[in-house]
Amino acid sequence: MSSVMVITVDGPVAAGKGLLSWRLAEHFGLNHLDSGMIYRATAARLLDQGDDPTDEAAAAFAAESLEISDLQRSDLRLQSVGQAASVIAALPSVRAALLRMQRRFAAKPPGAVIDGRDIGTVVCPDADVKLFVTAGLDVRAKRRFDELVGRGQSPVLAEITAEIAERDKRDMERETAPLRQAEDAILLDTSELDADQALVAALKIVEQQLKAPAKTSI
Ligand code: C5P
């Protein structure tokens, strides 16, 4: 194992990756990056300028000129920003610009927990531990619904379910870095688990993987 420890947490929308990754990072004293936020921040910049999210040149420019302050915007969690993020996320030049940023983050000691869609497959293929976190569509939609209600919004469950399904489909079917489980990632289905139980299950997987003999190639 290298002196920088990297744990990747990939999976579909609202699988519980964000909180789980943050808690894993706390537990192991690592940095945490929610990579979805950089796609969301890029999309938010484009929407501000009135640019079309399918305009690749404008989207790539927004990705290359992303600043730390963009990641602190309060509107990044809006459903509309998430949808636009998954549109720009399919553009190869946007992904290339954001890839460099994510790899720099992963390489900073003492290491990081990074959650997203392609972290174990593309961004950090040599990570120490890879998790693929998922849950049934209905469970994920209900979680997102409860989260929005908690924020004082009045969402419609059927609309949330359809939006999540649409975003997952786009993320899985794009040509560049589609959402998929890395061959060496361990699957964690959180359908029947609350956040504390998911953390216990994830810690068990991470501890087991860290103890496993180092991978060899011949
Ligand atoms: O995770 P979150 O829902 O915040 O991500 C927003 C969008 O950003 C996703 O739907 C996906 O299209 C894109 N994304 C990605 N690769 C990542 C993280 C997010 O394509 N590593």
Side-chain angles (χ1 to χ4, degrees):
M1 212 194 319
S2 62
S3 59
V4 170
M5 177 160 120
V6 175
I7 300 175
T8 64
V9 182
D10 290 303
V13 178
K17 307 182 297 289
L19 178 60
L20 178 65
S21 302
W22 184 82
R23 293 176 80 180
L24 283 174
E26 285 279 291
H27 182 89
F28 290 104
L30 299 172
N31 300 315
H32 171 232
L33 176 66
D34 174 351
S35 65
M37 294 309 262
I38 61 181
Y39 288 89
R40 286 172 180 268
T42 303
R45 279 184 83 127
L46 274 180
L47 295 175
D48 280 353
Q49 294 158 12
D51 284 329
D52 181 346
T54 59
D55 177 343
E56 182 152 10
F61 181 74
E64 274 155 21
S65 46
L66 206 64
E67 290 170 15
I68 296 288
S69 56
D70 292 313
L71 298 175
Q72 288 151 356
R73 295 172 57 138
S74 59
D75 58 353
L76 297 185
R77 287 266 163 228
L78 290 177
Q79 292 285 108
S80 54
V81 176
Q83 285 290 347
S86 89
V87 173
I88 59 126
L91 304 171
S93 52
V94 167
R95 299 203 75 85
L98 299 180
L99 180 63
R100 288 190 285 276
M101 188 188 295
Q102 294 169 86
R103 286 197 173 146
R104 270 201 305 274
F105 188 92
K108 257 190 300 181
V113 180
I114 307 186
D115 66 275
R117 305 292 188 288
D118 64 334
I119 312 301
T121 50
V122 175
V123 179
C124 301
D126 298 326
D128 299 276
V129 183
K130 298 180 185 178
L131 293 170
F132 191 84
V133 180
T134 190
L137 176 62
D138 290 351
V139 175
R140 293 185 289 120
K142 181 68 169 57
R143 282 183 191 156
R144 183 51 52 89
F145 175 85
D146 290 343
E147 188 187 315
L148 294 173
V149 169
R151 281 197 240 141
Q153 299 179 27
S154 313
V156 176
L157 185 58
E159 283 174 13
I160 303 282
T161 310
E163 277 180 25
I164 287 181
E166 184 191 337
R167 197 138 68 86
D168 284 345
K169 185 172 185 308
R170 201 182 293 130
D171 289 343
M172 286 187 292
E173 290 183 355
R174 68 177 173 229
E175 278 185 23
T176 314
L179 166 66
R180 66 175 179 81
Q181 182 178 347
E183 276 175 22
D184 50 352
I186 309 293
L187 182 70
L188 173 58
D189 188 326
T190 66
S191 301
E192 310 278 328
L193 307 179
D194 65 20
D196 289 342
Q197 292 167 326
L199 177 65
V200 170
L203 283 173
K204 206 166 144 193
I205 294 171
V206 174
E207 302 287 1
Q208 275 168 356
Q209 293 294 302
L210 290 176
K211 270 193 237 139
K215 293 167 206 152
T216 48
S217 54
I218 299 167

